[in-house]
Amino acid sequence: MSDISLSPAAAAQSLVSVRNLSKLYGGEKRFLGGNAPILKAVNDVSFDIAPGETLGLVGESGSGKSTTGRILLQLEAPSGGDILFKGQNITGLSKSLLKPYRRDMQIIFQDPYASLNPRMTVGEFVAEPLDVHGLSGNRSERQDRVAGLFKKVSLDPSFMKRYPHEFSGGQRQRVNIARAIALDPAFIVADEPITALDVSIQAQIVNLFQDLRDELGLTYLFIAHDLSMIRYLCHRVAVMLRGRIVEIGPCEAIFANPQHPYTQALLSAIPVPDPDIERSRKPITFDVGTNLPSETAQLQPLGGGHFVLRS
Ligand code: ADP
Ligand code: MG
């Protein structure tokens, strides 16, 4: 990807693009007078994701990552800006016009248990989107389709009749992933899908995302609060701070040559497997209070598709 990113040409070639996305919360009239304070949860965010590409979106809790993901999938309306899918502007489309896009764009959430229905067998849960879109076929076809999805996420199809509480966290996330790929989507927002899992399981789920990407040609927005797994999975990374993207670029560039102090702090926080290096590792601290991006700051190109926010 070159510096043509963020141009109209880049949007035309991308699977997903957002332009100048913003989301304000608050501002509503208060009962005792005055208005609630306005929070810019997402502030002038633009990026492109090419077909087959994985973009990592990283930042501390509250930086606006989930809001960006939800707006991208039109689960929430933006306060401003545009969402393009395969070059088509899909911002604010009606429910019925959005229906074909809904099939193509799926989301996986952080807490694999909360997203499951405790009273539904996991087989029924995975079959549900097929039913909604009239794609389940007859009884035995439906059974076969769900079994096939279970195999794709390395779950034994005999587990179909079980309930969510019978599974481990990693297995539950596999069930959610099976449901997300049921309609053969092109694009998946994975919103901190490994954060709630044991560290020992996290790499397995990252591997599953990688295998499915290769097998099914998926494109991901992969949201995380730190950079630790990002380099194994993502082609590019966007670093978000208080609603703004402060740095974006290819993984190699960001890891080798981080430019924004916040990116540098995130990188210094990653544990190193070598105990000698780990002992002497000094995390860089970043004080958001004194380092807030100014409203007039813009993403400046550094070459090779690497951009940093500067005033
Ligand atoms: P992240 O996913 O990076 O942790 P979020 O996108 O969830 O961040 O939230 C960004 C900011 O927007 C936070 O300050 C959060 O409190 C606020 N926020 C998110 N959703 C809402 C909402 N529905 N109403 C009001 N504020 C919200
Ligand atoms: Mg979040």
Side-chain angles (χ1 to χ4, degrees):
M1 184 130 323
S2 69
D3 289 344
I4 67 151
S5 60
L6 305 184
S7 68
Q13 291 161 18
S14 301
L15 184 70
V16 183
S17 298
V18 295
R19 288 291 178 272
N20 313 105
L21 217 55
S22 71
K23 181 69 185 180
L24 310 181
Y25 290 116
E28 60 275 351
K29 281 232 173 318
R30 278 180 166 163
F31 178 61
L32 294 174
N35 292 338
I38 290 177
L39 171 81
K40 288 188 178 172
V42 176
N43 188 357
D44 197 22
V45 162
S46 301
F47 55 75
D48 299 297
I49 312 179
E53 188 179 44
T54 298
L55 176 69
L57 184 61
V58 179
E60 64 177 5
S61 173
S63 52
K65 307 179 299 292
S66 296
T67 306
T68 303
R70 286 199 306 270
I71 294 175
L72 235 175
L73 298 190
Q74 307 253 38
L75 302 173
E76 212 170 333
S79 308
D82 293 302
I83 302 130
L84 293 94
F85 190 74
K86 294 182 182 165
Q88 300 290 311
N89 195 329
I90 59 165
T91 323
L93 286 187
S94 67
K95 236 182 169 168
S96 57
L97 287 176
L98 212 51
K99 197 172 176 197
Y101 295 102
R102 289 256 177 265
R103 251 186 90 168
D104 252 341
M105 306 166 91
Q106 299 291 324
I107 188 163
I108 294 164
F109 295 103
Q110 174 175 338
D111 181 346
Y113 196 58
S115 28
L116 294 167
N117 181 341
R119 284 173 298 280
M120 206 184 239
T121 66
V122 292
E124 287 300 313
F125 179 76
V126 171
E128 200 174 44
L130 294 170
D131 297 343
V132 168
H133 285 264
L135 299 168
S136 14
N138 66 32
R139 237 182 107 105
S140 84
E141 286 165 344
R142 183 173 186 264
Q143 184 90 357
D144 288 349
R145 281 189 191 141
V146 175
L149 290 165
F150 270 58
K151 284 188 200 140
K152 277 210 168 72
V153 299
S154 302
L155 281 177
D156 193 312
S158 69
F159 291 173
M160 271 160 60
K161 299 213 159 44
R162 298 194 187 173
Y163 287 86
H165 72 264
E166 300 177 67
F167 292 92
S168 69
Q171 288 172 322
R172 284 176 197 149
Q173 202 55 299
R174 287 178 193 273
V175 171
N176 282 305
I177 295 168
R179 176 173 160 124
I181 61 171
L183 297 172
D184 204 9
F187 176 61
I188 293 181
V189 173
D191 190 355
E192 302 208 35
I194 59 168
T195 303
L197 303 178
D198 288 347
V199 175
S200 58
I201 307 293
Q202 292 184 348
Q204 293 175 21
I205 299 296
V206 167
N207 285 337
L208 176 62
F209 274 105
Q210 209 157 20
D211 292 345
L212 291 174
R213 176 176 70 200
D214 297 343
E215 193 185 330
L216 307 174
L218 289 164
T219 302
Y220 298 130
L221 179 70
F222 190 88
I223 299 176
H225 65 274
D226 64 33
L227 281 163
S228 52
M229 282 291 167
I230 292 288
R231 80 165 96 195
Y232 300 109
L233 186 68
C234 299
H235 302 106
R236 283 188 305 133
V237 199
V239 178
M240 212 167 166
L241 174 67
R242 299 285 174 98
R244 297 204 76 180
I245 289 183
V246 296
E247 189 160 1
I248 183 168
C251 253
E252 314 86 70
I254 301 277
F255 277 79
N257 190 20
Q259 289 298 306
H260 197 278
Y262 182 55
T263 316
Q264 291 166 355
L266 281 177
L267 269 171
S268 77
I270 303 178
V272 182
D274 182 323
D276 289 333
I277 301 177
E278 176 62 18
R279 240 181 317 231
S280 58
R281 184 171 61 90
K282 284 202 184 60
I284 301 170
T285 51
F286 179 80
D287 182 358
V288 182
T290 56
N291 275 298
L292 262 189
S294 87
E295 275 296 316
T296 53
Q298 297 284 333
L299 281 174
Q300 312 277 340
L302 302 172
H306 187 178
F307 293 78
V308 66
L309 192 73
R310 283 194 183 133
S311 306

